[in-house]
Each structure stands twice: as C-alpha cells, then as structure tokens.
Amino acid sequence: MIFDTIVAKTTANGMSAINLIRVSGSDSVAIVNQIFKGPNLNKQKSHTISYGHIHNNEEIIDEVLISIFKAPKSFTAEDVVEISCHGGNFIANEIIKLLIANGSRLAENGEFTKRAYLNKRLDLTEAESIMDMVNAKNMNQLKIANAQLRGDVYNLVESLQNQILEIVANIEVNIDYPEYDDALEITNEIIIPKTEELIVKIDKILREAQTGQIIRDGIKTVIVGKPNVGKSSLLNTLLKEDKAIVTDVSGTTRDLIEAELNLDGVILKLIDTAGIRVTDDIVERIGINKTKKAISEADLILLVLDQSEILTDMDKDLLSLTKDKPRILIGNKMDLGSKLNVIDEHVINISAKNNVGIDRLSSEVKKLFIDEKLLTSDYTLVSNTRHIGKLEEVKLALNQALKAAKDEMPIDMVEIDLRKAWTSLGEITGEFSVDDLISNLFSKFCLGK
Ligand SMILES: Nc1nc2c(ncn2[C@@H]2O[C@H](COP(=O)(O)OP(=O)(O)OP(=O)(O)O)[C@@H](O)[C@H]2O)c(=O)[nH]1
Ligand SMILES: [Mg+2]
C-alpha cells in the first residue's frame, strides 16, 4: 500500500541528550535529503548511518546522524529515515517544521504502528504488544509482551482458526462438489467431538488468561476497615514509605489514596480508603461513599480487623458488604493481644505498625491470584482484555454450533456458527476477511483439476 510520508518525534518531550525523529513513507529519504548537508542520502544503502547537518538554507540547525531503513525491512515496511538529533524540544520542533515544509505530515498517535499493521509487517496482536512493552514495569509483564510481539498469540489463534477451517472447508466441499468423493462426508457426529475439543482448549486459554491479565494490568486491591484499625499503616508498611497520614484519630483518611506495589512481579494497585462508620461530617461521608464504590470495583479486598478488640457491629457490616468479593481478612495490631472473636474464615495476623506478618499476607495474595506454574512457564498468556472478549465470543459461537449439531440441525446451519467462531478469532489478529476464508478454504483441496 502507498501512503503519504509522515513524521514524528519518537522520544518523550522534555530535556534529554538525544531526540529521535522518525520519518516514514516512500518520499522519506528524498525529503530528509533536501534539508541535510552531508552525503547524498538518495545514494545511501539501507541500514546505514550518515553523519551531517540539518539546515534551513540559512542556518545550521543541528549536527545529526541519519539512519536509513529501506522498505520492506523497516518498522513500518516503508522507507524509514530516523534522525538522531540533540535533545530538547526546540531543535526537534525546528527539524519537524522543516520536514513538514518539505512535504511530510505530522503522524497521528500510533500511526507508525498502524502502518506496520496495514503493510502486514505486524498483525494486530503484535502491534498491541508494543504498547505493552513500553508500559512494562517488571519482568513478567515484559515476558508476556515479548511473547506477543514474537507472534505467540498470533500462532495460537491461527492454529485454532485452522482447526475450524478444516471442518468448514470440508462442509463447503461436500455441498459444492458432491461428486468429489475424496473429501470426507462431514456429519454432526464428526462435528460434535471436534467442537467439544475446541471448547476445552479455549476454556483453558481463558483460565490462563486470568493470570495473564493480572500480570498485565495488576490487581485492584482495596484496603477497607472501620476507622483507626490501621488501614493507612498497612498501606505504608506494604509500600515501605509514609504515603498516607497515620494518626490515632478516627477518620484520618478522608479520600482514596492510590499507590502501586510490585509484589514479586505482580502489580497490586492499592487503594487506601476512609474507614467506614456513621458520621455527620460531610467530607467524611463523601469519603465513605467513595469507599463503597471502590469496594464494588475491586478485584481484591483487604479487610482489616483489630486484634485487640472483639468484633464490632461495624466489622460485621463490612464482612457482609464484602462477602461476595475475593478477600483476605487481616487481624491487625496483633502486638496488642488477640481478642478478636471467632470468624469462621482464615484471618492473617499482622502488626502493620511493627511490620510483622506482612510476608504471610503477600503470599496469601499470590496464592489467590497467581498460578505459579504459569509464571515460570513460557506458555503463551493471552492477557489483553480485547483478546479475552473475542475468545469469549468464539466460545459462545462454538457452543451454539455444538448445540445445533446435537439438535441434529442441517449441517449448513452448524456451519454458520463455526464460521462465526472463525471470524471472531480472526478479529483478534486482524485477519478475518471472508475472502481470506474462501481462498484458504479451497487451497486445502486440489479441486478443479
Ligand atoms: N499497636 C499497634 N498500633 C497500630 C498498628 N497499626 C496501626 N496502629 C495505630 O493505629 C492508629 C490508626 O492507624 P491508621 O493507619 O491511621 O488507621 P486507619 O485505619 O487508616 O484509620 P482511618 O484513616 O481513620 O480510617 C495509629 O495510631 C497507628 O499507629 C499495629 O499493628 N499495632
Ligand atoms: Mg487511614
């Protein structure tokens, strides 16, 4: 595909030693050459670097290095020129202005990656993984992003698509070429076990995706409890910093306090909340409402109780408010004794103030959310919410195909649902056109000879 030539600064704004400006499109080399004093760029080979200066006909703007990547061996699969200039926004902006004046246009957000996709250099999952790589904050996140960039999700989806295609192709051949007796006559009896097998596979991928998603996006963890029980102290101890104000006055925390914690490669998105109680204070009441909303949106609740007191009505309310959520009960202030009366749920005893028992809490969180086997394996983890949503659609369509087959519906009715499953899979990678399906389909058979 031929597109116009686009330009953007690829490094972040602000002060730095170097900036990188990327130009992509069939005119990129010629455009840069017009504002470059140095070797003639039009004559340079691909994957070479040239030294020289960018000028505006009157002044030298900067001393630069120019890297040339000729199509298709470039990030976008088009001719790409990268200008390494000096840092600071002024120089980069001047160079970009010159590039625009000479025939390129400012790229939109993500447009280089979009071109890589449109030029079939990357599939959608690989394109999406680039953002995940940039955002990665630990090794596990990076591992997932790398696997996706390597094409692991693509391969997984393609293999599922092929299994469906085989059935669909066979059905089509049965219908269109009844005289072609080399092709297996597909019946509902054959479709049922094949579809069941696919559903089992997708279920497994979806189960593993939960871990993938947690590694990618973190666990939204809300610390709740009655006032003064030590919620903010727990936040601070977990973070190893004095993030939240701690006092012995009930109602110290009024607003939500958010922080991120890396727990051995698993991100906890921690939220400290206002202690819940009945109050006339308007600010505190708003805080308490926010706490309730945070509870409803949480992946995990850390419900803090006070070991030094017996269970109060407020504790009981909180126990019932959070009963349908994944939660961990924490008995804080264990240094002050254990008066907490029986709860028939496991309570982890800690002292937030004295940093005791925090390891036990960490391992409980991991036990609840992380399948250790998955963390250490190289298994492809589907982790992107969009991919998971599409896989749910695939599962639904396959279940409909299975039901139709079991109800002994005509085979072309079953095929409709199978095609739907195939298309939803294709939407994950961006390869879902019916034309592709048809040409794939017939390439599997040596028909028309
Ligand atoms: N003895 C003891 N005191 C603690 C412990 N953890 C917290 N405290 C004390 O309990 C008091 C309240 O602590 P906070 O962390 O502010 O409690 P909170 O739950 O955030 O309170 P609100 O924000 O008012 O809802 C402070 O005086 C802390 O020093 C502990 O493990 N042992
Ligand atoms: Mg607090």
Side-chain angles (χ1 to χ4, degrees):
M1 267 185 257
I2 305 281
F3 299 108
D4 55 351
T5 298
I6 53 174
V7 57
K9 182 155 83 80
T10 59
T11 35
N13 281 336
M15 292 313 260
S16 63
I18 301 276
N19 267 325
L20 191 80
I21 297 168
R22 184 184 270 162
V23 193
S24 177
S26 45
D27 297 333
S28 55
V29 178
I31 291 173
V32 177
N33 199 42
Q34 287 178 58
I35 60 166
F36 181 66
K37 224 183 225 133
N40 183 349
L41 297 178
N42 291 319
K43 294 196 176 144
Q44 302 308 308
K45 289 204 181 99
S46 183
H47 295 75
T48 56
I49 297 177
S50 306
Y51 167 83
H53 293 85
I54 299 286
H55 65 91
N56 65 5
N57 286 326
E58 289 163 17
E59 308 269 358
I60 295 291
I61 305 289
D62 195 13
E63 180 188 30
V64 297
L65 289 177
I66 307 277
S67 312
I68 293 182
F69 307 89
K70 294 262 175 73
K73 288 193 168 173
S74 73
F75 179 69
T76 57
E78 301 170 343
D79 284 352
V80 168
V81 180
E82 288 181 354
I83 306 172
S84 305
C85 61
H86 285 103
N89 294 336
F90 182 75
I91 294 174
N93 288 343
E94 284 303 303
I95 296 176
I96 289 172
K97 269 194 245 166
L98 284 172
L99 290 166
I100 292 172
N102 280 278
S104 58
R105 122 179 114 70
L106 204 57
E108 290 161 21
N109 279 348
E111 199 171 0
F112 291 104
T113 313
K114 184 175 165 191
R115 289 213 173 168
Y117 164 67
L118 293 174
N119 291 323
K120 299 197 182 311
R121 239 273 286 138
L122 300 171
D123 79 291
L124 278 186
T125 65
E126 289 162 350
E128 284 165 321
S129 71
I130 293 172
M131 219 45 223
D132 290 350
M133 293 193 75
V134 174
N135 287 327
K137 290 194 196 73
N138 62 51
M139 219 29 166
N140 287 327
Q141 288 177 329
L142 188 59
K143 241 167 102 172
I144 292 187
N146 261 325
Q148 198 168 313
L149 183 63
R150 206 166 55 212
D152 286 14
V153 173
Y154 179 85
N155 292 339
L156 180 75
V157 168
E158 195 189 32
S159 104
L160 292 169
Q161 272 190 304
N162 282 341
Q163 288 167 59
I164 298 176
L165 191 64
E166 205 136 307
I167 312 174
V168 173
N170 232 313
I171 296 174
E172 286 286 315
V173 172
N174 291 161
I175 295 170
D176 288 355
Y177 300 86
E179 73 285 359
Y180 188 80
D181 19 275
D182 279 7
L184 179 70
E185 166 80 30
I186 289 277
T187 58
N188 280 333
E189 283 67 46
I190 295 175
I191 291 178
I192 291 169
K194 284 186 191 279
T195 311
E196 279 172 341
E197 196 187 312
L198 276 162
I199 294 172
V200 169
K201 274 189 194 157
I202 289 178
D203 266 335
K204 183 165 179 282
I205 298 168
L206 282 171
R207 269 199 312 279
E208 285 163 354
Q210 281 176 2
T211 302
Q213 199 169 26
I214 275 164
I215 292 172
R216 183 177 184 274
D217 300 335
I219 307 169
K220 199 164 184 190
T221 306
V222 179
I223 307 174
V224 295
K226 66 187 171 197
N228 223 28
V229 62
K231 297 178 294 299
S232 300
S233 305
L234 174 60
L235 178 84
N236 291 348
T237 306
L238 284 169
L239 295 176
K240 301 189 176 73
E241 66 169 292
D242 281 341
K243 171 109 184 167
I245 299 173
V246 168
T247 72
D248 55 4
V249 179
S250 282
T252 299
T253 307
R254 302 277 185 112
D255 211 345
L256 303 183
I257 299 173
E258 304 193 19
E260 237 175 57
L261 172 70
N262 184 347
L263 199 71
D264 298 335
V266 180
I267 302 287
L268 291 197
K269 292 197 159 154
L270 287 167
I271 302 177
D272 178 23
T273 61
I276 293 190
R277 62 170 173 180
V278 180
T279 171
D280 289 337
D281 183 314
I282 179 158
V283 179
E284 198 179 350
R285 266 215 315 267
I286 295 170
I288 291 172
N289 284 336
K290 282 194 183 181
T291 302
K292 289 183 176 160
K293 185 159 178 279
I295 291 174
S296 71
E297 290 167 358
D299 297 322
L300 171 65
I301 305 284
L302 301 181
L303 175 49
V304 187
L305 304 164
D306 189 340
Q307 278 285 359
S308 66
E309 296 175 355
I310 57 169
L311 214 59
T312 62
D313 286 346
M314 202 52 82
D315 292 324
K316 288 178 190 156
D317 287 350
L318 282 164
L319 281 163
S320 99
L321 195 65
T322 56
K323 70 176 184 313
D324 297 327
K325 284 275 173 183
R327 70 178 179 194
I328 297 175
L329 303 186
I330 296 163
N332 190 31
K333 307 196 186 181
M334 66 183 285
D335 52 302
L336 298 181
S338 54
K339 290 200 195 121
L340 200 63
N341 42 339
V342 222
I343 306 175
D344 50 6
E345 219 175 296
H346 181 51
V347 176
I348 297 184
N349 296 329
I350 65 160
S351 168
K353 189 173 165 184
N354 303 320
N355 196 359
V356 176
I358 304 298
D359 292 353
R360 282 197 296 274
L361 174 59
S362 302
S363 58
E364 191 70 21
V365 172
K366 282 200 277 173
K367 210 161 76 195
L368 267 183
F369 281 90
I370 304 299
D371 185 337
E372 291 285 339
K373 284 199 296 295
L374 283 180
L375 271 188
T376 48
S377 83
D378 282 333
Y379 196 85
T380 311
L381 289 170
V382 175
S383 60
N384 179 308
T385 313
R386 192 182 72 81
H387 304 169
I388 294 171
K390 286 288 160 207
L391 283 171
E392 299 280 4
E393 276 176 37
V394 175
K395 188 176 149 187
L396 190 72
L398 287 175
N399 272 318
Q400 279 162 350
L402 186 64
K403 182 170 184 308
K406 284 187 173 164
D407 290 348
E408 291 174 28
M409 300 286 273
I411 213 92
D412 48 345
M413 298 297 285
V414 183
E415 193 202 341
I416 293 175
D417 291 320
L418 290 174
R419 272 176 178 253
K420 207 160 131 216
W422 188 92
T423 310
S424 294
L425 279 168
E427 280 167 359
I428 296 177
T429 53
E431 290 179 12
F432 53 85
S433 96
V434 180
D435 290 346
D436 285 354
L437 173 65
I438 301 299
S439 61
N440 258 332
L441 236 155
F442 289 107
S443 69
K444 294 211 173 275
F445 294 86
C446 308
L447 294 167
K449 38 180 190 205

